[in-house]
Every structure is written in C-alpha cells, then in structure tokens.
Amino acid sequence: MQRTLIIGGTFNPVHFGHLRLAEEVRKSLAFDQVQWIPCHVPRHKCPKGLLSFSLRLALLQAAVEGETGASVNDIEIRLPSPSSTYQTLQALTSIDPDTDRHFILGCDEFLRLHEWYRGRETISLANWVVAGRMGLDVDWFCKSVETAWPGCRPISPPKGSLAAYKFVSGRRAVLLQLPRLEVSSSLIRERWLSGRNLDELLPQTVLELLVAHRADADATWAKDRRVLPAGHVA
Ligand code: ATP
C-alpha cells in the first residue's frame, strides 16, 4: 500500500518553511509520496487577502516541480465551500480507499483538531503526523492528547519520533520534533507589500511567478494588510 504524506494549508503563498517541513517529515518517516492540498475556501483565514485558488495552486506547482514523488491536488475546488479537512479526507478516501494517508499538522493545530468542523470524525479518516517545535514538552503533549481524545492509548513510537498514539478508530498519530524556519506566509505578504527582498523565504520559481502576477498580489494582499509587531525578525 502506498504511504502518502498530505500537507494542507492556505499557501498564500507557499514558502521554504512549508517545503522544509514536508521534506523533513518525508525523510524521517519514509513516505513514498507527498501530496500538497491547497485549501479552496478557508473557514477562518484571510477572507479578503487570499490570492485566487488558481494562483496559489500554480505557485505550489512551481515550488514542487521536478521533485520526485511530489504532487499538488486541486480536489478542494470540486467540493462544497467552505472547505474542510473532514470533507477533503472523505473525498480522497472514496476516490482511492487503498492509499495509507498521513496528514501533517503543527502541534497546536493537532491539539485543537477535536474542535474543528466534524473534528471527532476527521481523526478517523487518516493517520496524523504532528510537527512539534524543538524544546516541546512531550509530557504536556501526551497529557493534552489523552484529555482531548478519551480512549486513545500510547503506543511504541516509530524510530526518530518522540511519542505515538492509537485512537479508538485504530488511526494513529506520531509526534516528531522538527526545526522550524522562521518564515510564514504573513511575513512574506508583509515584506512583499513593503517592497522588501524575499529571496531567502521562497523558491526562485515561486518568486518569478509572483512577480508575473504582481498586480494581483499587490491588490489582494493590500486588502488584508496588518502591521507586524515591532522587533519581528524577518
Ligand atoms: P499564514 O502566515 O498566512 O498564517 P502559514 O505560513 O502558517 O500562513 P499555512 O498555509 O497556513 O502557512 O500553513 C500550512 C501548514 O504549514 C500548517 O500546518 C502550518 O503549521 C505549517 N507551517 C507554516 N509555516 C511553517 C514553518 N515556518 N515551519 C514549519 N511548518 C510551517
């Protein structure tokens, strides 16, 4: 059975933090494929300042072009709005029930998964890779998982991971500790609008495509401009 790692997000735009995350997880847990799934209509994020789905998709395609085993999936455009991880995983499962899917989430996101739209059902639709920051308190993580998911039980973590759980549905979550690049899409949008250099934050092919769509990016991101706190490290 193919083991596929899924990374979902708004990717407004994709950056080196996303790419590094996917690569570190793929290597650590030996996945066959990485599938990138941009969110079509986010429930909570960036309602005004979101680049069009087709441009975010094209930027992702440019970012992973030539990478063996990587693909971009536009499934969410064909599903009802707003998008949800629940319906996306359900649709993927009905199209291809034989793939073993593992969805990456940051630690904070994973610990709130039970509060997401149909979160308690979502957890049974895939396995989960939880990306923890360096220095994460593993005991705190384990207590939080056990509180959020009654009936789950700790299992032996795969090599290179810090903890693992099996849920009542039989699905699993694995905690990895990963270095996190200090880059976010919000930081890129802010720097773009200030005319600052982005070379170290995203691949050149992505930057070239953004420049080719400068008018769209300027107009869209300016709608949602927010001021970063003083002292924010770029
Ligand atoms: P924004 O700044 O607009 O909130 P973002 O940079 O967090 O966006 P998303 O598209 O929301 O990007 O993130 C997709 C996934 O990538 C999420 O699981 C998020 O936790 C993870 N991620 C984002 N930035 C990084 C980073 N620098 N290092 C590791 N993971 C990241």
Side-chain angles (χ1 to χ4, degrees):
M1 188 184 267
Q2 282 278 355
R3 292 181 73 244
T4 299
L5 179 66
I6 297 180
I7 174 161
T10 43
F11 304 117
N12 183 37
V14 61
H15 53 66
F16 279 136
H18 299 131
L19 295 165
R20 171 89 178 269
L21 170 70
E23 184 53 17
E24 295 274 348
V25 174
R26 191 188 64 75
K27 276 194 313 207
S28 300
L29 298 175
F31 285 101
D32 302 307
Q33 303 178 1
V34 179
Q35 201 169 77
W36 295 79
I37 305 192
C39 179
H40 180 221
V41 180
R43 272 168 197 266
H44 305 296
K45 256 185 158 182
C46 284
K48 297 192 299 272
L50 191 64
L51 294 176
S52 68
F53 184 74
S54 58
L55 182 50
R56 288 182 289 123
L57 191 75
L59 293 168
L60 267 174
Q61 279 160 343
V64 304
E65 200 182 347
E67 258 186 53
T68 314
S71 61
V72 182
N73 188 328
D74 65 356
I75 187 167
E76 291 201 353
I77 200 162
R78 294 180 292 283
L79 299 175
S81 298
S83 309
S84 72
T85 304
Y86 172 77
Q87 70 176 358
T88 303
L89 287 175
Q90 246 199 349
L92 290 171
T93 307
S94 63
I95 294 164
D96 174 10
D98 295 328
T99 289
D100 179 19
R101 295 186 182 79
H102 299 245
F103 198 102
I104 306 182
L105 284 180
C107 182
D108 296 344
E109 294 163 309
F110 179 73
L111 292 177
R112 285 197 305 268
L113 175 59
H114 59 294
E115 297 166 0
W116 288 13
Y117 172 73
R118 302 187 78 161
R120 295 217 169 263
E121 295 150 273
T122 306
I123 200 157
S124 64
L125 296 174
N127 293 303
W128 302 85
V129 178
V130 183
R133 289 174 183 259
M134 304 308 280
L136 172 85
D137 180 342
V138 179
D139 287 343
W140 167 82
F141 173 82
C142 292
K143 282 192 194 108
S144 307
V145 172
E146 287 165 25
T147 306
W149 300 100
C152 71
R153 61 182 178 82
I155 54 174
S156 171
K159 194 163 165 271
S161 68
L162 295 179
Y165 275 89
K166 189 167 180 180
F167 301 95
V168 175
S169 64
R171 296 296 195 166
R172 293 156 190 245
V174 169
L175 173 67
L176 294 180
Q177 198 167 41
L178 299 168
R180 189 179 169 98
L181 296 184
E182 285 311 311
V183 50
S184 65
S185 301
S186 346
L187 175 66
I188 290 175
R189 297 193 295 273
E190 191 58 35
R191 288 183 71 133
W192 171 274
L193 291 171
S194 322
R196 294 171 66 192
N197 189 293
L198 298 176
D199 284 350
E200 295 188 351
L201 305 183
L202 34 72
Q204 200 56 34
T205 48
V206 174
L207 187 52
E208 282 164 13
L209 196 52
L210 263 180
V211 169
H213 291 82
R214 180 178 291 284
D216 278 354
D218 284 352
T220 307
W221 288 344
K223 284 186 216 156
D224 209 27
R225 189 165 203 180
R226 67 184 177 87
V227 178
L228 289 175
H232 189 100
V233 180

